[in-house]
Amino acid sequence: MGLGMRVNEPITGREIEMADGDVLVSKTDTGGRITFVNQAFIAISGFAEDELIGAPHNLVRHPHMPPEAFADLWKTVKAGLPWEGLVKNRCKSGDHYWVRANVTPEMEDGRAVGYISIRSKPARQDIQAAEQLYAAMREGRLGGRQLHEGRLVDSGLAARLGAFARSLIGRVAAIVFALTLTALIAALVGLVGMEHSNQAVRTVYEDRVVPAAQLGEIQDRLRDSTLVAGRFDKTVDGGTRIKANMDRAEALWQAYLATYLTPEEKAMAERYGQMRQSLRTQAFVPLVENRVTDFEDHFRKVVEPGFNASHDQLRQLIQLQEQVAKQVHQEADADFDEQAAIGVAIMIVGLILAIALARHLLRGTTAPLARMEASFSAISRGELASTIPAEPIPDFQRPNAMLRAMRAKLAYSELENREIARRGEEHLKSEMLHLTETLEGEVQETVGDISIQARRLSEGAVELSTVAGQLRQMAGHVTEAVQTTSGNVQTVAGATEELEASSREISSQVVSSSQLAESARVNVDEASRRVAGLSEATARIGDVVTMIQNIAGQTRMLALNATIEAARAGEAGKGFAVVAEEVKSLANQTEQGIATVNTQAEEIGRTTREAVETVEQVAQVIRQIDAIASEVARAADEQRSATAEIMGSAAQAADHTRSVAENVSLMMDGVEATGNTATRVNELSAMVSRDIAALQRRLYVIMRTSYGGDRRGLQRITAALPFSFEYGSTKVSGYTGDIDLKGAFLVIVGAASRPPVGTQGVLRIEGVGAIEARIVNDNGVGLNAQFPAADREAKNALAVRLEQTEALDRPYLEMAAQVAAAAAGKLEQALAAGNIDITDLFDTDYAPIIGTEPIQVMAKHTQLVEGLFPDLIEPPLSRDPSVVFCCITDRNGYIAAHNRKYSQPQRPGDVLWNTANSRNRRIFDDRTGILAARTNKPLAHTYARDMGGGTFVVLKEMDMPITVQGRHWGAVRMALKLG
């Protein structure tokens, strides 16, 4: 606003479309400076609030807006009247947006103190019309038209007549004129009808009755001529009569031909005329001219056949004439009926026109009043963005303007209060969101620290367990060593005793050895002397051997000589030869024996010499042994003293060894306890890590679903609607989890791949249509999709689908509510009967069941609810085959008792089977489980249930809270399989 034209540039030519239902609000002072704007105005303009407040309103003026439009605006509002029209505004970025603006002066004491402006989204056809209008205004092509109070009006005669026609007076005048015109037309149609009736009567008379009489007379004339011809010879004046008949018939025929004849009559008349002419020339003229000799033969052969033929033709012509006359009469009757119908129709049209004009008159009063009533009703319902259409009837245009002004003021007041409340709420939510994010960060950091400590504790426990194992192994070795040492100590002690006895024996033996050594030394000296004598004897043996060898040689010579002599003696010397041979043999043997003895003598000599040396060495050694024996005796005394000390130490060591063995046994017990403790610490550390992670998930779900932590601007509605999402050449399908006009949670079914975050595509929701969507998050269970915008058609279709879904969900929610009420009643009865106290019922100390995988736990209420709940949760499965499961969870996601088919005993080592079939006594603290466990109102949501091994089943779950003694205990979870 503001009178001075301001050129805001640059401009991009790119349009930003307002969202359906958005309302832009601003207020300016009398100088056109902005004093208030709402958030929607700030958002679409692109300016910050501090840039707008205090700035002239023409800050958002688009250069395409003609000055004449704002001149009309200021002229209107300064007259104290509201102005409404389409305005093209410029964003800070240079983009533009169209609004239907209503500018209303704020009046105090009869003068304007400011201006309020309410803007809503215009229809596309209105934008196109405004584009053309403003272009014509900029180019000076409006001619005699001009803007007046935001409407384009024409000041010419046609415009004044049009305004008069739309007015109530003009409508009454139209009724009077229509009735008068109807009466005149009806009278005129009556006169025309009378004229047509007279004409028909005249036609029947002149063209049908008279010609019929003429034809009849012609027929009579011809009949008379034929009769005359039959008795022509007997008639004196027959020729004259025939001639008179023929002339009269000819005159009548010519008169007949002069009347109106139908084409069929003309054809038949032509044939009859030829036959009549032939009858005249061939039958009657010869008679008249007396050219007939045989009258009877002429009559029989010419006149009579000719007459009969012409008579028949004439009769046919007369019949045709009668038929045509009848047809003319019928046409006359039809024309009368038509004229009567036209008259009636004109009367009816006149009546209808009168009624229509009367209705038009009534609409001219009732329709504006109805529109004003509808506008009042919309205002009373708070529909501030509803458009009050411009009133086409001049009589109501000023009240319409006042109504728009009133709506604008009421709307501004409400929107101002709403904006102030929104800002306060936004500030509160911002603070709460900041607090949530801070708390989330602190929780995450604390959880991280605890997780690190838990991991360190787990690592320490593992290390302690390892050390305990090593200590156990080392303690075993020590035990074995101690046992061996103990045995060895005992052996040492015994050996020490034996050693002490041996030392004493050695000491006495050393004395004896010393004495024996001395005796040995004396004996060795004696042996040395004897060995020396043996050496001399050995030398003498050598001499004897030499002498024997000489004797043996001589004897061999003698034997040789005896042999020779025996040979000489012949037979007498044979005995002597034998003796000689034997002597020679004996000599040889003696010589060999002596040689052996010589060898042995030499060996004895050598040995004797060595023995002498050995004896001398032995003597030397014995002398050394004697010295050593003295030293050994002294050492033996010392050893005996040391052995006595060893004996004492060995006894003491044996005692200590037994003590060590006992301590090692105790240490083994401690090591075993340490190993068990380390295992327990490791398990507890894993539980702490799991519980911390669960705590983080729970806090995240709780905080992000709370008022302050929910970043969504709209409340999501739970609805499992089948969808398909197409991106590129890929298509995935599934069900929506929850949905609003700006986004949805999508649960994918059976897809090999999932669209990555940031993917743009087309989301087709069954019964809603196609919506442009973008994937903004993937939490593993489903995808969060964002809609850039949703048109009104999609919004209406979605509303219908949500109503249908709500109707389908209602029976299942009622079924879940019945189970929840029964469960609460059972728990109340158990408390009243003393079967459990309130502390144990709400206790959250879950003890793990060792050896279960996935891990199962026990709570203090487990056995109680396992006896109470099965009779409650089984009937829904048998009542409705679409119900997959019905179970009851406590507020932490712990399900003690599940349906029988999901409460099978675990199979050791078969985690996949256990995950799907052993779902009792387990904690489900994922997003779905926590939402169900923590809900304090009926809840329906869609998700993919993990069946283990990467298998998921899409479920629609109905949750109903359970309250015991005014405290939220848990909830009923009942699910239907979708896909």
Side-chain angles (χ1 to χ4, degrees), residues 160-489:
R160 289 196 295 272
L161 290 176
F164 175 76
R166 290 193 302 273
S167 67
L168 298 180
I169 295 176
R171 297 185 185 209
V172 172
I175 294 175
V176 173
F177 175 77
L179 292 175
T180 303
L181 182 63
T182 301
L184 292 175
I185 293 175
L188 180 62
V189 168
L191 293 176
V192 171
M194 293 175 62
E195 176 63 23
H196 286 176
S197 297
N198 292 336
Q199 182 67 32
V201 171
R202 186 167 51 251
T203 299
V204 169
Y205 175 74
E206 293 179 355
D207 296 336
R208 296 295 176 261
V209 175
V210 172
Q214 292 171 344
L215 292 175
E217 187 177 353
I218 290 173
Q219 187 178 21
D220 290 342
R221 294 288 181 175
L222 291 177
R223 183 181 293 108
D224 182 71
S225 295
T226 301
L227 291 175
V228 171
R231 48 187 179 84
F232 189 83
D233 57 334
K234 300 176 181 180
T235 302
V236 178
D237 59 346
T240 304
R241 189 173 173 180
I242 289 174
K243 184 176 185 304
N245 286 336
M246 287 190 298
D247 292 341
R248 177 61 181 169
E250 182 66 23
L252 290 172
W253 180 250
Q254 294 301 323
Y256 171 76
L257 292 179
T259 62
Y260 171 75
L261 300 176
T262 65
E264 187 178 0
E265 286 179 310
K266 287 182 180 179
M268 190 172 290
E270 185 177 352
R271 288 195 300 273
Y272 175 74
Q274 293 174 356
M275 294 178 68
R276 188 186 64 78
Q277 187 66 28
S278 175
L279 178 64
R280 178 180 177 179
T281 58
Q282 294 180 8
F284 295 132
V285 171
L287 290 174
V288 172
E289 294 178 353
N290 293 317
R291 289 187 282 109
V292 178
T293 58
D294 189 349
F295 296 105
E296 184 177 353
D297 183 67
H298 179 75
F299 177 81
R300 188 177 64 254
K301 292 182 178 180
V302 177
V303 175
E304 188 175 18
F307 174 78
N308 290 336
S310 64
H311 177 73
D312 291 339
Q313 185 68 29
L314 181 61
R315 187 172 65 250
Q316 292 179 7
L317 184 61
I318 292 172
Q319 291 176 351
L320 180 61
Q321 187 74 18
E322 292 174 351
Q323 292 175 0
V324 171
K326 184 178 180 180
Q327 182 178 359
V328 171
H329 178 265
Q330 291 174 348
E331 289 177 354
D333 288 342
D335 183 66
F336 175 79
D337 293 340
E338 181 180 354
Q339 294 298 324
I342 291 174
V344 173
I346 291 173
M347 296 299 294
I348 292 174
V349 169
L351 180 61
I352 293 173
L353 182 61
I355 294 174
L357 290 173
R359 289 192 62 188
H360 186 55
L361 174 62
L362 290 175
R363 277 201 305 270
T365 55
T366 59
L369 292 175
R371 285 191 290 268
M372 294 176 66
E373 182 180 354
S375 299
F376 276 117
S377 178
I379 293 172
S380 67
R381 292 193 304 269
E383 297 177 2
L384 305 178
S386 62
T387 301
I388 297 178
E391 189 56 59
I393 300 175
D395 308 75
F396 291 94
Q397 287 176 352
R398 187 54 55 85
N400 177 266
M402 294 299 102
L403 176 62
R404 282 185 278 129
M406 182 190 71
R407 184 207 60 171
K409 292 179 180 180
L410 292 174
Y412 174 80
S413 177
E414 183 172 345
L415 288 173
E416 182 183 34
N417 293 333
R418 189 184 301 175
E419 180 66 19
I420 293 173
R422 186 199 64 80
R423 291 180 181 180
E425 184 177 354
E426 187 177 77
H427 178 72
L428 176 61
K429 187 166 185 177
S430 175
E431 292 295 325
M432 292 180 67
L433 181 59
H434 176 70
L435 178 61
T436 299
E437 292 175 348
T438 302
L439 180 58
E440 185 179 318
E442 291 296 327
V443 168
Q444 186 173 2
E445 184 176 353
T446 303
V447 167
D449 293 341
I450 295 175
S451 298
I452 292 173
Q453 297 302 326
R455 187 169 61 253
R456 289 176 180 173
L457 179 61
S458 179
E459 293 172 355
V462 172
E463 185 176 354
L464 181 59
S465 180
T466 303
V467 171
Q470 293 175 350
L471 286 176
R472 186 183 299 109
Q473 184 178 4
M474 292 172 62
H477 293 163
V478 168
T479 301
E480 294 176 1
V482 167
Q483 291 175 352
T484 303
T485 302
S486 179
N488 291 337
V489 168

Side-chain angles (χ1 to χ4, degrees), residues 544-545 547-556 582-598:
V544 174
V545 168
M547 182 183 68
I548 292 172
Q549 283 179 342
N550 290 332
I551 295 171
Q554 290 175 1
T555 301
R556 186 173 61 249
E582 289 295 332
V583 171
K584 185 175 64 173
S585 176
L586 180 60
N588 285 333
Q589 290 178 3
T590 301
E591 191 175 15
Q592 290 175 358
I594 290 300
T596 301
V597 169
N598 190 30

Side-chain angles (χ1 to χ4, degrees), residues 87 92 420 547 559 794 860 868:
V87 176
K92 184 177 181 180
I420 293 173
M547 182 183 68
K860 293 181 178 179
L868 297 179

Side-chain angles (χ1 to χ4, degrees), residues 949-972:
T951 301
F952 290 87
V953 177
V954 180
L955 301 178
K956 176 68 174 293
E957 183 171 314
M958 314 293 171
D959 301 325
M960 192 66 59
I962 297 174
T963 303
V964 179
Q965 292 189 357
R967 296 172 60 185
H968 180 214
W969 183 83
V972 172

